[in-house]
Amino acid sequence: MKITFYGHASLGIEVGGKHIIVDPFITGNPQASAIDINTLKADYILLTHAHSDHVLDVETIAKNTNATIVSNAEITSYYAKKGLNAHPMNHGGSWKFDFGKVKYVNAIHSSSFPDGTYGGNPGGFVIEGEHKNIYIAGDTALTMDMKLIPLRTKLDLAIFPIGNNFTMDVEDAIIASDFIECDKILGYHFDTFGYIEINHEEAIRKFFDQGKDLMLLEIGESIEL
């Protein structure tokens, strides 16, 4: 499993021979100007919620690639009405795709499209595939529901928002890593704009002091599990 950071909360995942894009907000992010969305491969687009900084490039990528959009029922209905491929899910439900199993789990946040359309309840994804399991938390506060995840899935990596103000901060993310019983964390949703700027060295040190590994990738950088 290969995971590439495209800036903010945008990710590319290669697993089981398939390409997945998560929450594509690339053309609106000056820090990601080196990423050309027209060259991205996508069989699936996973969306945690409907805010513009997570869905800005969905339609362009979906039209370019014929990808299937996976999200809650309200978000997938919104895009299906535009003629795009969509697979609806809701909290607690899971589905076996051709790259692995995906479960849609709870997140504490808000969700509406830029045009004001209701975006349903926000969520995260647990992906089990290719002998590696990951949790993409989406935009969320620390929540006790995270304790449910390791009851079903042993995680190899969790991807957490750590920018504070709109989501968890570093301290809450450390607690969240205890809840999910996973000490290997990839941070995202930080530094894109002033509200969520963080001190990288301090964040990494705080995780290290708790015996945990926080990875902060450069835009375009990848890791392999």
Side-chain angles (χ1 to χ4, degrees), residues 38 126 159:
N38 294 306
V126 175
I159 303 170

Side-chain angles (χ1 to χ4, degrees), residues 59-74:
E59 292 185 41
T60 299
I61 295 173
K63 289 175 181 177
N64 285 347
T65 63
N66 204 34
T68 297
I69 297 164
V70 180
S71 190
N72 66 38
E74 289 81 6

